[in-house]
């Protein structure tokens, strides 16, 4: 007599084994479903995030390799891959949009959330309409120059910089960062370091350092986990609301976009 299982009855072991084997087979098929030319890159460590229709009958791919964005294009005969950005006849980088949408955009959104919950020092009016996060080492000359360049917007009340204090450049970077972060008035301590930068910056308070050095090491770890290696590294919101990042000293022509207004 044939046994009919109800919805609440567990199937017998042979049935479970059959479906498990089928799912494993499907998974293996899915992993190797890419054309051979693409599969070569996958086997070399490329993690494909998205694919899209590209000009010339090609298929575009974006992904990551060792944490870095990569882009490539499969030719229409599906036998060759062209690695790198695609540029239109007008000079527009067609790849950048897809990388931003699928990779750097989500990464920056996640980073912004982590930065909000990190230890930072407010620099500017509390109700400033534009908020910018920047990793700042007290001994960093480029951080110093970035703060000088941003001062007109800060003084006008348009921008609030949030300095995520790190100590990575010199032996006394961490003590200085902890002294600023743990001061009774961190913003004033930050400004003191800015004013006295050419004379070795803020004086280290060993007692404050002892109580606050772990906050700086946590910021150091956050910076490293985000894949950043230079200060300043700055996250800001573009006019369309997307989050962008610049590593190193921004160029003068970048400032208006980052501050979301022309020079005050």
């Amino acid at each position: 007599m044939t046994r009919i299982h109800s919805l609440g009855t567990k199937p017998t072991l042979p049935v479970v084994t059959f479906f498990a084997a089928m799912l494993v087979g499907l998974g293996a098929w899915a992993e190797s479903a890419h054309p051979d030319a693409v599969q070569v890159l996958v086997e070399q460590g490329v993690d494909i995030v998205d694919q899209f229709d590209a000009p010339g009958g090609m298929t575009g791919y974006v992904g990551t390799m060792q944490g870095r964005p990569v882009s490539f294009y499969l030719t229409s005969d599906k036998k060759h891959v062209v690695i790198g950005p695609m540029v239109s006849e007008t000079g527009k980088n067609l790849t950048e949009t897809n990388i931003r949408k699928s990779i750097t955009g989500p990464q920056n959104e996640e980073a912004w959330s982590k930065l909000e919950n990190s230890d930072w020092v407010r620099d500017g009016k509390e109700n400033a309409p534009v908020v910018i996060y920047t990793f700042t080492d007290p001994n960093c000359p480029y951080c110093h120059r970035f703060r000088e360049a941003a001062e007109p917007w800060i003084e006008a009340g348009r921008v609030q910089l949030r300095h995520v204090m790190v100590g990575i450049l010199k032996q006394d970077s961490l003590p200085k960062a902890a002294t600023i972060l743990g001061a009774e008035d961190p913003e004033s301590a930050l400004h003191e370091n800015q004013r006295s930068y050419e004379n070795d910056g803020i004086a280290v308070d060993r007692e404050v350092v002892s109580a606050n050095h772990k906050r700086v090491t946590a910021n150091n770890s956050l910076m490293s986990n985000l894949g950043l290696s230079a200060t300043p590294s700055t996250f800001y919101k573009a006019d369309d609301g997307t989050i962008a990042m610049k590593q190193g000293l921004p160029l003068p022509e970048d400032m208006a976009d980052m501050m979301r207004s022309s020079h005050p």
Side-chain angles (χ1 to χ4, degrees):
M1 181 174 64
T2 303
R3 177 176 296 177
I4 300 176
H5 293 282
S6 68
L7 290 176
T9 304
K10 294 182 180 179
T12 58
L13 183 59
V15 176
V16 173
T17 305
F18 169 77
F19 280 108
M22 186 171 69
L23 288 173
V24 169
L26 286 173
W29 175 84
E31 289 177 359
S32 60
H34 301 297
D36 290 346
V38 174
Q39 188 64 26
V40 167
L41 297 181
V42 172
E43 291 171 359
Q44 291 177 356
V46 173
D47 182 17
I48 295 174
V49 176
D50 196 13
Q51 69 181 69
F52 52 92
D53 293 333
M58 293 194 288
T59 302
Y61 294 81
V62 291
T64 60
M65 185 172 186
Q66 298 180 347
R68 296 184 177 275
V70 293
S71 64
F72 55 93
Y73 295 87
L74 179 68
T75 55
S76 57
D77 63 6
K78 301 188 183 303
K79 294 182 178 180
H80 305 86
V81 163
V82 181
I83 301 174
M86 177 180 287
V87 180
S88 73
E89 59 185 0
T90 62
K92 182 179 179 180
N93 188 328
L94 302 177
T95 302
E96 187 176 333
T97 300
N98 290 291
I99 287 181
R100 185 167 58 246
K101 173 187 173 184
S102 300
I103 300 176
T104 57
Q107 286 177 345
N108 290 344
E109 290 281 351
E110 183 179 359
W112 188 271
S113 177
K114 292 178 178 179
L115 290 166
E116 286 180 317
N117 294 309
S118 67
D119 269 317
W120 44 266
V121 177
R122 179 172 60 83
D123 182 9
K125 290 187 177 179
E126 192 168 358
N127 62 350
V130 175
V131 170
I132 295 174
Y133 289 93
T134 185
F135 284 97
T136 299
D137 185 302
N139 288 317
C140 172
Y142 301 111
C143 300
H144 179 73
R145 289 167 59 184
F146 175 50
R147 175 57 178 80
E148 287 182 326
E151 184 163 359
W153 285 273
I154 295 172
E155 291 299 314
R158 296 186 185 181
V159 170
Q160 176 194 134
L161 282 187
R162 294 181 176 178
H163 297 263
V164 183
M165 303 304 303
V166 295
I168 59 174
L169 293 181
K170 296 183 179 180
Q171 188 172 358
D172 65 348
S173 287
L174 192 150
K176 286 180 180 179
T179 297
I180 294 170
L181 202 56
E184 290 187 13
D185 186 345
E187 186 175 11
S188 294
L190 181 78
H191 291 170
E192 179 184 342
N193 187 72
Q194 182 74 13
R195 286 191 303 270
S196 60
Y197 178 81
E198 299 297 338
N199 296 311
D200 204 30
I202 194 169
V204 170
D205 186 322
R206 293 296 174 185
E207 185 175 343
V208 174
V209 172
S210 179
N212 293 274
H213 72 279
K214 289 184 179 179
R215 299 168 68 191
V216 180
T217 57
N219 285 345
N220 288 354
S221 295
L222 173 60
M223 182 176 173
S224 177
N225 291 339
L226 293 177
L228 305 172
S229 58
T231 53
S233 288
T234 307
F235 290 79
Y236 61 97
K237 289 187 177 180
D239 286 333
D240 61 2
T242 60
I243 296 170
M245 188 273 289
K246 284 197 175 294
Q247 194 165 187
L249 179 65
L251 297 173
E253 55 265 33
D254 295 329
M255 292 298 291
D257 288 338
M258 296 178 69
M259 305 293 151
R260 291 172 58 189
S261 64
S262 58
H263 198 288

